[in-house]
Amino acid sequence: MTRSPTSFELRVYEAIRQIPRGRVSTYAEVARAVGVPAPRAVGQALRRNPFAPQVPCHRVIASTLTIGGFAGTTRGAEIERKRALLHREGVEFTGDGHLVEPTRLYRFS
DNA sequence: TACAAGCAATAGT
DNA sequence: ACTATTGCTTGTA
C-alpha cells in the first residue's frame, strides 16, 4: 500500500531528523516542535515510518522517561531491539525501562 | 464529504 | 492502576 506522506508526517520526520546521535527526545517534545498538542498523533506518524531507518524513530521515548514503544508494540522483543539500538549509541535504560541519564534528553531550538 | 474507530501518549484521579 | 482527553490517520459509506 503505497501511500504519500501527509504534511503532518513530513513535519514529524523533519523534527526527529534533528535529533543527534546519542541523544533522545520525547513524544511531547516532538509534538511541541511540530506545533501539535497531541503526542499520540506523533506516535501514529512514527508507527507508519515510511522513511525507514533514515528517520531515527528509536530516539523518541515517552515523557515519563520510559522507553516508550517500537514497531507497533509497547513491550516485547521489538522493544528489546529498540533498547539495544539506543544502547549502541550510548543511551542506557534501567531494567524498569527508565532512562538512566536524563541529561541525554535533546531539546529542540 | 462525513462519520466512526484506533493509536509507539500524557495528565489527572 | 484506571479513566479521560488529545490530534491525526485510516477505513467505510
Side-chain angles (χ1 to χ4, degrees), chain A residues 5 12 16 18 28 30 33 45 51-53 70-71 75 78-79 81 87 103:
Chain A
V12 173
I16 293 174
Q18 294 178 39
V30 174
F51 289 101
F70 193 61
R75 39 201 286 175
E78 304 301 314
I79 291 300
R81 196 150 354 130
H87 185 269
T103 61

Side-chain angles (χ1 to χ4, degrees), chain A residues 27 57-61 67-70 77-87 93:
Chain A
Y27 295 100
C57 40
H58 59 274
R59 292 184 194 151
V60 183
I61 63 175
I67 195 164
F70 193 61
E78 304 301 314
I79 291 300
E80 296 289 320
R81 196 150 354 130
K82 176 177 182 178
R83 201 175 70 172
L85 274 169
L86 288 174
H87 185 269
F93 287 87

Side-chain angles (χ1 to χ4, degrees), chain A residues 45-75:
Chain A
L46 291 183
R47 179 181 162 277
R48 303 291 167 187
N49 197 6
F51 289 101
Q54 199 178 76
V55 176
C57 40
H58 59 274
R59 292 184 194 151
V60 183
I61 63 175
S63 257
T64 55
L65 299 189
T66 54
I67 195 164
F70 193 61
T73 64
T74 53
R75 39 201 286 175

Side-chain angles (χ1 to χ4, degrees), chain A residues 22-24 65 90-91 99-107:
Chain A
R23 291 284 186 101
V24 291
L65 299 189
V91 183
L99 183 65
V100 174
E101 298 189 71
T103 61
R104 291 199 178 273
L105 267 175
Y106 173 78
R107 300 206 178 192

